[in-house]
Amino acid sequence: MSSLTKLTISPHIHSGRSTAGIMRDVIIALLPVSVAGVLIFGLRALAVIAVCVISCVGFEALFNLITKKDQTIGDFSAVLTGLLLALNLPANIPLWQCVIGALFAIIVVKCLFGGIGHNLVNPAITARVFMLVAFGSMAVAAFPVDTVAGATPLSAEKMPTLITLFLGNYGGAIGETCTLALIIGGVYLLVRKVITWHIPVVFILTVFVFSFFYKGFDAVSALSLVMSGGLFIGAIFMATDYVTSPATAWGKVIFAVGAGVLTCLIRYYGTYPEGVSFAILFMNILTPYISKWTKHKVFGTQEAVK
Amino acid sequence: MAFYLRGTNVPHRKNTLNKPVVRIPCPKTVTIPMSMHIGKQSIPTVKVGDLVKVGTKIGEADGYISANTYSSVSGKVVKLDEYLMYSGTTSTAVVIEADGEMTLDDSLKAPVINDNKDLVAAIKDAGIVGLGGAGFPTHVKFDVDPSRIEYLIINGAECEPHVTSDSVTMMTRADDMAYALSSLNRYLGIEKVIIGIENNKKDAILNMKEMAQSLTNFSVEVKTLPSLYPQGGEKVLVYHTTGRVIPTNKLPIDVGCVVINCTTLATIGSYLKTGIPLVEKCVTVDGGAVKNPQNVIAPIGTAVGDLFDFCGGLCEEPEKLIYGGPMMGITFPNTDSPVLKNTNAVLALTKKEAKLPKTTACIRCGACTNTCPFGLAPASISKAYDNKDIEALKELSVDTCMECGCCSFVCPANRPLVQKNKLAKELLRQEKMKGESK
């Protein structure tokens, strides 16, 4: 009798895709806009990014340690949450507020709901909204910083030119101004098959169409509205969060249309100048229902085709 | 086809495809279990001390869904033993010490066939079972009112990594296959044959097309299919070749199709020609631990260890031994295990090849449901199974699952999805039995 080998149930091989690999890809996709943010807003932006990332990872590690759970910081999701949070904040935000935001994102939104995969809403977005409510305008309306003067364009009388909006050399949150860098990141995610086109394309298109009508069929104004504010970072990076968006293609489309319409309603008829975060947050909550409505039809359970 | 079902890209690893097929010298002993098929195990018809030849019946089919078993070597029966099958059940196994002569049994002669009943009886006599891996007795598939069979679909998809024995059949045994097809056409009135082959097997496709052209009395179509696992799944293949949807818990015949594996077809052909029953198999011997991977023709019952020795031995201690491919194959515990009727490959995977990532939390990415050929929601099924929620499992239609393993393969958290599906199906089966016994 030769020695015994391992007995397991099939499959015996794996694709090699991993949660950590996916998170790493999203972080890589955010590098261009992070670099752009630092170039536009200066080293203060780098400090915000560092504080957010370090606090997020730190809080998650601490939570796991205290609650005696398996350490999960190795999956890079806390790094990603920190990075996304920072990119949604203005560069001149007090650093202590960043720490509070990270605490809220990681502990309240993520860990208390059971950790990765169990949160109902996107941690970074929710933290941003929390900061907006808690600290007033600090978190959303970008204050003029040293290098760039000007208010956040959505509330400004005069919009920057399309080229400026595309390159991002104007006021706003660290990661939301440089449309070019965000598109590069989005293309990378598509190529790496981390996300599908459905949510970003439909979300952005919906906002464009709505704005086009709202602005009296003025395509240039509609385009400026699309490229300003947090739409691109929201549509490409936040709304596509697996945990809090539907899995099927039709589910994604419904989610994106909903988020687009809500964004416009808040932007144009609400009291807040920017609606992307609220719109995504709201659709996050609807996600379980959208998923239920848009389940795949199971093969062979309909009438047999003869 | 308007559109293809989902699936996943698995690595091909068809290392043995273009290597010559070699016949292993007669092994010293063979161990032939009486259960190498789905259904009742056959009843041994020999006792210790009996002399047998190649093709001597050593096990009689026990009832309708069962199959005859034949000796694969000439020699002496030395043991009738309880044998622990890979499935965890036991079966009687006949151990034969070979005399090395490989003498054919004198009684073997080509069967005389006059009608469809004769043909079905011949297939049953030959002990032929589904050779693609399932091992379902083949005669049962053909034992229907011939007018119900509109299409005969030959499964040459061979979508599992590593495995190439079916490709080899299609490349080298076209004459046997053609002979079988002609008989099936003549006695069962099968007019339309479709051979489905994945597009990564160019030589097999060419050879089959050539064969199809030589058969002029009826239609034989070779359909090239994309290499997308699980192309060889029965329902997938029927859909991709005919556009017909087999409902859950129904069989191909319910939509007018019979599906058999290409090697099964070739075996039917060689039996009809020569009368030699199913006694040997072409087996792909592969995996990182095998020094010289190749396709080997071996008598059924040959110890897997003999195959490895014949292929230059093992270059390292294997982590896993597998019957079949790495996606749906079944592990077995040691190299004493024999080649079975339905063994199309034996793999010796190294530690590195068999390494699976750690299971982590579900991130609801939807990869499982977006890869499932049947559109199931494996993550939801897992949850329902954990809660033992029978109603939810029925609602999620877990019975539709063919256990191809795409969901587990793509899951970035490496969650045991198909494994839970299997457990869930078993749970539903038990519930149903409970309900019936009440």
Side-chain angles (χ1 to χ4, degrees), chain B residues 413-431:
Chain B
N414 190 35
R415 300 192 65 75
L417 298 167
V418 69
Q419 295 88 333
K420 287 269 173 79
N421 286 6
K422 292 180 192 181
L423 290 169
K425 282 166 78 176
E426 180 61 22
L427 182 70
L428 285 192
R429 209 177 56 84
Q430 284 172 5
E431 279 300 309

Side-chain angles (χ1 to χ4, degrees), chain B residues 285 290-296 306-314:
Chain B
V285 185
V290 179
K291 252 193 201 132
N292 179 23
Q294 57 188 342
N295 277 289
V296 179
D306 290 346
L307 291 183
F308 290 144
D309 290 344
F310 183 65
C311 296
L314 296 173

Side-chain angles (χ1 to χ4, degrees), chain A residues 1-2 5 8 12 14-15 117 299-300, chain B residues 248 320 326 329 333-335 409 411:
Chain A
M1 178 70 88
S2 51
T5 51
T8 56
H12 308 291
H14 190 267
S15 59
F299 184 86
Chain B
T248 300
K320 271 187 196 174
N334 63 54
T335 52
F409 179 78
C411 178

Side-chain angles (χ1 to χ4, degrees), chain A residues 30-40 49 87:
Chain A
L30 283 170
L31 284 182
V33 76
S34 306
V35 171
V38 174
L39 288 178
I40 295 164
I49 292 173
L87 294 176

Side-chain angles (χ1 to χ4, degrees), chain B residues 94-317:
Chain B
V94 175
V95 182
I96 301 164
E97 209 170 73
D99 59 15
E101 300 292 326
M102 294 297 265
T103 328
L104 277 180
D105 196 295
D106 313 319
S107 65
L108 298 181
K109 57 177 193 297
V112 181
I113 294 173
N114 292 312
D115 58 15
N116 62 320
K117 293 248 167 355
D118 289 348
L119 183 62
V120 172
I123 294 170
K124 184 171 185 193
D125 272 346
I128 296 172
V129 301
L131 300 181
F136 185 77
T138 304
H139 66 271
V140 180
K141 290 187 181 176
F142 288 111
D143 193 10
V144 291
D145 176 0
S147 67
R148 288 182 71 195
I149 309 175
E150 202 176 327
Y151 285 102
L152 174 65
I153 294 156
I154 307 304
N155 193 342
E158 199 165 56
C159 51
E160 279 266 11
H162 293 285
V163 187
T164 58
S165 54
D166 280 347
S167 307
V168 164
T169 298
M170 291 186 284
M171 278 148 66
T172 59
R173 295 182 69 187
D175 47 345
D176 285 340
M177 293 173 71
Y179 193 90
L181 288 177
S182 298
S183 299
L184 289 165
N185 164 254
R186 188 172 327 148
Y187 300 111
L188 288 172
I190 293 169
E191 291 292 338
K192 285 186 245 171
V193 178
I194 305 176
I195 306 174
I197 311 174
E198 278 193 341
N199 60 11
N200 60 350
K201 300 171 229 330
K202 301 270 181 276
D203 292 344
I205 292 167
L206 282 178
N207 207 36
M208 287 294 100
K209 282 196 167 151
E210 209 170 285
M211 178 193 79
Q213 272 167 9
S214 73
L215 296 167
T216 47
N217 291 339
F218 53 103
S219 143
V220 181
E221 186 192 344
V222 177
K223 203 149 204 167
T224 307
L225 303 165
S227 303
L228 188 71
Y229 181 87
Q231 194 64 261
E234 194 167 68
K235 289 182 179 182
V236 177
L237 189 69
V238 167
Y239 185 66
H240 288 172
T241 50
T242 67
R244 295 182 181 184
V245 176
I246 303 173
T248 300
N249 296 325
K250 295 281 182 191
L251 295 169
I253 192 67
D254 295 312
V255 294
C257 300
V258 169
V259 184
I260 63 170
N261 170 273
C262 57
T263 305
T264 311
L265 182 75
T267 311
I268 293 173
S270 64
Y271 177 72
L272 295 177
K273 267 200 262 184
T274 64
I276 301 174
L278 177 54
V279 291
E280 63 178 23
K281 263 314 285 283
C282 175
V283 179
T284 302
V285 185
D286 199 0
V290 179
K291 252 193 201 132
N292 179 23
Q294 57 188 342
N295 277 289
V296 179
I297 298 173
I300 286 165
T302 305
V304 167
D306 290 346
L307 291 183
F308 290 144
D309 290 344
F310 183 65
C311 296
L314 296 173
C315 39
E316 67 175 277
E317 195 62 35

